[in-house]
C-alpha cells in the first residue's frame, strides 16, 4: 500500500500561522494561502497544522494578535511544488 502525503508537505520551509480571530475561534493559515482552517480549540488547530506541514512544529508560529482566515488568497505555488 502506498502512503500518500498531503500536497502541502512537499515544502518544509513554509510557515504556518495560528491565532484567534475576533470571535475567539482558532485560525490556521499557511503563509502562502495553500491551506487553512477554522477550529474550536487550540489543540485541534495545532493537530491540523502538524498534519498539513508534515509534523514540523518548528514551522508553526502562534500569533499574539488577531488573525482572520483568508481563503481568497491565491496560493504561491512554484513549478517544483506542482510537479511533486
Amino acid at each position: 500500500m502506498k502512503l500518500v502525503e498531503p500536497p502541502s508537505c512537499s515544502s518544509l520551509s513554509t510557515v504556518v500561522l495560528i491565532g484567534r480571530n475576533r470571535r475567539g475561534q482558532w485560525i490556521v493559515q499557511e503563509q502562502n494561502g495553500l491551506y487553512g482552517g477554522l477550529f474550536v480549540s487550540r489543540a485541534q488547530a495545532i493537530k491540523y497544522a502538524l498534519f498539513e506541514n508534515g509534523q514540523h512544529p518548528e514551522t508553526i508560529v502562534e500569533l499574539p494578535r488577531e488573525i482572520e482566515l483568508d481563503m481568497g488568497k491565491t496560493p504561491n505555488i512554484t513549478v517544483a511544488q506542482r510537479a511533486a
Side-chain angles (χ1 to χ4, degrees):
M1 178 166 77
K2 182 180 176 186
L3 294 177
V4 179
E5 292 183 59
S8 53
C9 291
S10 60
S11 177
L12 299 177
S13 62
T14 61
V15 174
V16 181
L17 305 173
I18 293 181
R20 287 181 176 252
N21 65 12
R22 64 178 164 246
R23 291 171 297 288
Q25 299 158 317
W26 286 92
I27 302 293
V28 174
Q29 182 80 51
E30 191 270 339
Q31 69 178 353
N32 296 319
L34 191 57
Y35 57 85
L38 180 67
F39 300 88
V40 178
S41 72
R42 180 179 180 271
Q44 288 299 312
I46 290 174
K47 182 178 179 179
Y48 170 78
L50 287 170
F51 172 77
E52 286 291 342
N53 76 5
Q55 303 298 318
H56 293 280
E58 67 277 6
T59 65
I60 298 173
V61 177
E62 189 169 339
L63 301 174
R65 61 177 171 78
E66 286 183 354
I67 180 175
E68 292 298 327
L69 183 61
D70 182 5
M71 295 307 288
K73 282 185 175 181
T74 302
N76 183 14
I77 300 173
T78 65
V79 175
Q81 288 174 320
R82 279 188 227 139

